[in-house]
Amino acid sequence: VYYDGLKNHLSKKQNVRIKSAIESCDGLILQSSFSKHLIEKYLMIDLDNDVDYQVIHNGVPSHYCSKIKFSKGKGIACITCANWVPSKGLDDLITGFLLLDASVYSLTVVGPFDESIQRKFTANNVKFAGQLDQISLLNELRKSDVFVFTSYADNCPNAVIEALAVGLPVVCSPVGGTCELVGDHGALLESDSELATNSDGLIIPRLDPYDIADKIKQASRINRLPHIDFSIVEIAKQYEKFFRRFF
């Protein structure tokens, strides 16, 4: 569902097509309960009464879910990964991170980003890794202690599922589908009462940098998470079970 702070969300052609497809389907698979919330709020469809649906989270390659022992370095290694558009909150994330003790905490930023961000933040304990292939990303995750994700409005971010599958506690914003994925396996940030509207018209919450720093410290005290099976094989079984309801 496309939403951006405009009152008439059905004026977007994409939403008109999505609404039509949902109303004519036999069954609907949603990435998260947040997806359900968006459909009901912005497309005005009563899913509980009108559509046979099920929430099934995204899956990751099975090797992310493997229990592998690996050596850790000293200090607390944090990592974040996204396609860094403004709604992902990278500026807020790094601003908060830099309040932490630089001799203890390090941050690796994975994914394409605006070079102005790298010029703005030049601290030695912040590494901009850029885009990584799947194996390199997995190795970075396994070397880390905390995954930080400040995106404001994702339905079911694969980056968070990958981090949880590896066993990392996650610090995340309280908006979108991320917080339902994380549950008790991390720390939720508090959004500021102030709202800002970016250049695309998307209304986003402001995050308190001191809260970001505190929640990173809180998450760093969480032991490695128990094995959570987000493997594509397991998710495919859930899809198959849902499809069989119609045959």
Side-chain angles (χ1 to χ4, degrees), residues 29-32 54-58 156 235 238-239 242:
I29 292 177
L30 302 172
Q31 292 179 311
S32 63
Q54 182 174 338
V55 173
I56 301 178
H57 298 311
N58 296 343
C156 185
I235 300 303
Q238 296 180 43
Y239 269 78
F242 180 77

Side-chain angles (χ1 to χ4, degrees), residues 17-64:
R17 297 191 186 101
I18 293 171
K19 181 177 174 66
S20 175
I22 292 174
E23 290 177 333
S24 61
C25 74
D26 295 308
L28 176 66
I29 292 177
L30 302 172
Q31 292 179 311
S32 63
S33 296
F34 180 64
S35 303
K36 177 178 182 286
H37 165 73
L38 293 180
I39 290 170
E40 292 180 332
K41 181 174 181 178
Y42 294 111
L43 302 187
M44 295 169 288
I45 300 174
D46 184 355
L47 290 180
D48 289 324
N49 293 317
D50 297 340
V51 180
D52 189 351
Y53 75 92
Q54 182 174 338
V55 173
I56 301 178
H57 298 311
N58 296 343
V60 296
S62 298
H63 54 271
Y64 275 85

